[in-house]
Structure formats: structure tokens, C-alpha cells
Amino acid sequence: METQQNGKTALITGASSGIGSELTRLFAKDGYALILVDRDESGMSQLVYNLKNQYGTQATLITKDLSDPNSPEEIYAQTAGTTIDVLVNNAGSGEYGQFATETNIRRELAIIQANATSLMHLTKLYLKDMVARNEGKILMLGSEVS
């Protein structure tokens, strides 16, 4: 089943599994070109293959770990020249265990970077372009930071 392309592009973080994978499928079904950001390259390759076969969707993979503070600027630079019509801030992870004695502070700080700081940074970067065009949408999915 080939889907009619709508000429718009969605950038989706955390696209390889869970809610991100389902949102990716829905945007493909609606005819969006996709830019998929995730740290799991192998899961993304299979997803892109499936989307191309099922919907005829063009997808670009960006393998980045949003716990790296440089990743938002690098993603933005990689998408320069592409109009991002929809930004989906879906990436996120968590840590389990007793905070006082079982969890690792380095891991927790990386989670905050990925779940909050990097997503806010991506929003700031793409929102200025959307405001300049007077068009665009941003979907923020909840996390423990909510």
C-alpha cells in the first residue's frame, strides 16, 4: 500500500520503539517524509525498511544519543535546508531503584539531559524556524520530568 505523500516533514526523536515507533508509523501513513532520531541504529534500519515497503515513505536516519549535550545542535545542523513541519519530542528513558542507595547519579544526569534539556534545546532550535514561517507543530510527550 503506497501512501500519497503530503510534502511535509516530521522529525521524531526516540523513533525506534514504543510510542515513537507507533507515531512514526502514523506519520508515514499520513504521507509525511520522516527524519528519525534515535540512538538505536539497528532498530531504526528495520523500521525504515518497513515504512518504505508499506507506505512508500522517505525516511532519513540520524543516530544520536540525546544524553550528549551537543546532539541538539548536531541534529539541527544535519537538517539544515529541510523544512521541519512537525517536531515530535518523544525520546526518553528512566532509571529504576532506590534513589538514595541503588541508582547512579551519572546515569540520572544523562537521563535529565536526554529527557528534558536536549528536548527543550531542540524545541528552541526548530521553533524559531516555525515562528519565522508562521507554521509548524510541536508534540511534547510526557516523562517523569512532567
Side-chain angles (χ1 to χ4, degrees):
M1 166 182 147
E2 183 116 351
T3 301
Q4 180 67 33
Q5 301 305 300
N6 67 19
K8 295 188 182 259
T9 301
L11 187 152
I12 303 171
T13 66
S16 70
S17 63
I19 294 170
S21 178
E22 182 63 17
L23 287 170
T24 297
R25 189 185 68 73
L26 292 172
F27 275 97
K29 188 176 178 182
D30 286 344
Y32 283 80
L34 301 172
I35 299 175
L36 306 176
V37 179
D38 204 291
R39 62 183 176 195
D40 178 14
E41 186 173 5
S42 63
M44 300 254 291
S45 297
Q46 184 61 49
L47 179 62
V48 167
Y49 176 80
N50 293 343
L51 295 172
K52 178 71 173 165
N53 284 337
Q54 188 167 7
Y55 303 108
T57 301
Q58 295 298 94
T60 301
L61 302 178
I62 299 178
T63 304
K64 291 287 178 193
D65 185 343
L66 292 176
S67 66
D68 176 352
N70 297 314
S71 62
E73 294 283 348
E74 293 168 356
I75 293 165
Y76 187 72
Q78 279 187 258
T79 61
T82 301
T83 299
I84 303 301
D85 299 287
V86 180
L87 171 63
V88 179
N89 280 325
N90 170 68
S93 63
E95 177 80 327
Y96 302 96
Q98 268 190 5
F99 182 74
T101 58
E102 295 177 1
T103 61
N104 179 287
I105 188 64
R106 295 286 166 232
R107 172 81 176 120
E108 290 158 344
L109 292 172
I111 289 169
I112 292 168
Q113 177 67 42
N115 291 8
T117 308
S118 284
L119 299 182
M120 185 272 302
H121 194 165
L122 285 170
T123 298
K124 183 83 165 182
L125 292 168
Y126 288 103
L127 182 60
K128 67 181 179 186
D129 295 338
M130 292 176 181
V131 169
R133 291 191 322 269
N134 198 32
E135 184 176 40
K137 298 174 183 175
I138 299 174
L139 174 60
M140 301 290 285
L141 279 83
S143 70
E144 74 276 356
V145 179
S146 300

